[in-house]
Each structure stands twice: as C-alpha cells, then as structure tokens.
Amino acid sequence: MSAVKTLEAVARDRVGKGAARAVRRQGQVPAVIYGGGQPPQSIAVDLIRTRTLIYAGGFKTTLFEINAGGTKVRAIPRDFQLDPVSGVPLHVDFLRVVSGQTVTVEVPVHFVNEDAAPGIKKLGGTLNIVAHTLTLDVAPDQIPDAIEVDLTGRQIGDVIHVSDIKIPAGTHTGEPTDPVANIVPPTVLGAEVEAEEAAIAEAQSAEAADDKAEESAEDEKKDGEEA
C-alpha cells in the first residue's frame, strides 16, 4: 500500500486571484482542503515539492498528512491545475479524509511475467492493453500502488477480465466482466502495419508521379518559348 507522506503547508487568510498570484510569486502553490463535514481550509504548499510529487506519478492515489500551522490533516489530492505552457502547478484541491471513509481513485495496472506467457514468448503474440487503470472504492490508507496482472501461462486469444485479477484492497466500481487486456496473434498487428506501410508507399509514389509530370510540363513550356 502507498505510505502516508508528509506535506508542509502554511495557512492562507486571503483568497481570490490576486492573493493566489501573490502566493505563486513567493514560490508556493495555492491549495484548498475540503470535505469531511468541515469548512474549506485555504493553504499554500511549496512549489518545488509539489511539482516533484505530481511528476513522480501516483499523486492522486497518495494519502498526505498536511501540516498547516501546527495542525495536521490527512487528505488526498482530488485535482490539480498546471500551467498549459510551462507545466508549473497552479492550484491543488485536497479532499479531507475522515475515519471510515472510502475514496474513489484510479489505480495503475501493471502486467508481470510476460516471458512466462507462451502466447507471447513462444508464438509471437502481442499484449493488447484495454485498461491501463482500474477505478476502485477504497479506504485512503489502503490504496494500492498498482494492481498486478500475472501473464503466466497466457495463450493467444486469452482475454483477461477484472474477475481474473486479485485486487489488493477496495472494490472495483465497474463490472467483473470488464476486459483489462487480451493477447492477439502477431498477424493482427502485422496486417495493420503492412496496410499502413502500403498506403504510405502508394502516397509517396503518387506524389513522385505528380512531381515528374510538373517537371515535364515545365520542360515542354521552356522548349516552346525557346522555339
């Protein structure tokens, strides 16, 4: 399970666009903690620390203990905004966590033991991933880092459903029959690649023919002018 991470913060008395800009000029990111039956709390967190956490991955599935002015609050990120040009964090929303509560999170799916799948290793099949994440309802302190799918023994044509996977904690919000991945024959993707390469070659050939026709027309025009 993901470990609880500490996050230092300072309380904010002022809110609004002007106040948020002032916070950013100080090298911090404006944020808010809401939920849990309590009023929203405006805070500011360190820019470098926040950017590192976001780009390290798993930010929205990490439980934080936020220390704001000596008061510690457990919360999980619900959303964040990035500058569309620089990618710098502009704002973070945290959901306050209370005892007995569950949260809905997207947990990444990791596929393991691909070398032990005969359909891939021996027969040249390809793993076609349908779902890169699964949505779980889970207690905040039990959020898995990832959900592992064991490919041992898998053959071409096998379809892996949610019901085939052991979920470490929480409840999947979808259907047990939802597909996660399947193993396809090598000819399936191979045919698509060949068709794409043939289309590209045809387009290049047509373009070359058009260029040659234009050159011939220009040569004929020059010959006529010289005559």
Side-chain angles (χ1 to χ4, degrees):
M1 306 299 171
S2 299
V4 179
K5 294 185 178 180
T6 58
L7 186 62
E8 296 296 325
V10 295
R12 289 193 296 139
D13 296 328
R14 298 174 54 216
V15 295
K17 292 183 177 179
R21 284 195 292 267
V23 168
R24 296 186 187 105
R25 284 196 295 269
Q26 296 171 5
Q28 296 176 316
V29 181
V32 63
I33 306 173
Y34 66 93
Q38 300 180 37
Q41 178 183 3
S42 296
I43 60 173
V45 291
D46 181 71
L47 170 61
I48 296 176
R49 168 79 166 148
T50 304
R51 181 171 56 193
T52 300
L53 289 167
I54 289 174
Y55 285 102
F59 184 60
K60 288 186 176 181
T61 58
T62 301
L63 179 62
F64 289 95
E65 185 171 77
I66 303 174
N67 184 8
T71 302
K72 295 182 179 180
V73 178
R74 287 200 169 189
I76 187 170
R78 289 281 79 182
D79 197 13
F80 59 84
Q81 296 174 341
L82 301 177
D83 184 281
V85 177
S86 66
V88 171
L90 298 177
H91 191 273
V92 182
D93 292 338
F94 290 94
L95 175 65
R96 189 179 286 109
V97 171
V98 296
S99 179
Q101 175 187 6
T102 62
V103 292
T104 302
V105 292
E106 296 276 339
V107 179
V109 178
H110 292 172
F111 296 87
V112 298
N113 298 325
E114 188 169 319
D115 287 345
I120 299 175
K121 183 67 174 179
K122 295 181 179 180
L123 302 178
T126 300
L127 179 66
N128 178 44
I129 301 175
V130 179
H132 291 273
T133 62
L134 290 179
T135 306
L136 304 183
D137 280 335
V138 61
D141 59 351
Q142 294 183 349
I143 299 174
D145 292 321
I147 298 171
E148 287 193 351
V149 178
D150 190 355
L151 299 175
T152 300
R154 292 291 180 176
Q155 300 284 354
I156 288 176
D158 282 358
V159 179
I160 303 169
H161 300 92
V162 172
S163 57
D164 301 320
I165 301 171
K166 182 180 179 181
I167 296 176
T171 305
H172 178 237
T173 61
E175 298 294 330
T177 54
D178 288 346
V180 178
N182 63 313
I183 299 178
V184 298
T187 54
V188 174
L189 295 180
E192 294 178 358
V193 172
E194 289 178 3
E196 184 177 355
E197 290 177 348
I200 293 173
E202 184 177 351
Q204 292 175 339
S205 177
E207 185 178 354
D210 290 341
D211 291 343
K212 187 174 182 180
E214 290 179 3
E215 291 177 0
S216 298
E218 290 178 0
D219 290 341
E220 290 178 2
K221 183 178 179 181
K222 288 180 181 180
D223 292 341
E225 291 175 351
E226 292 174 357

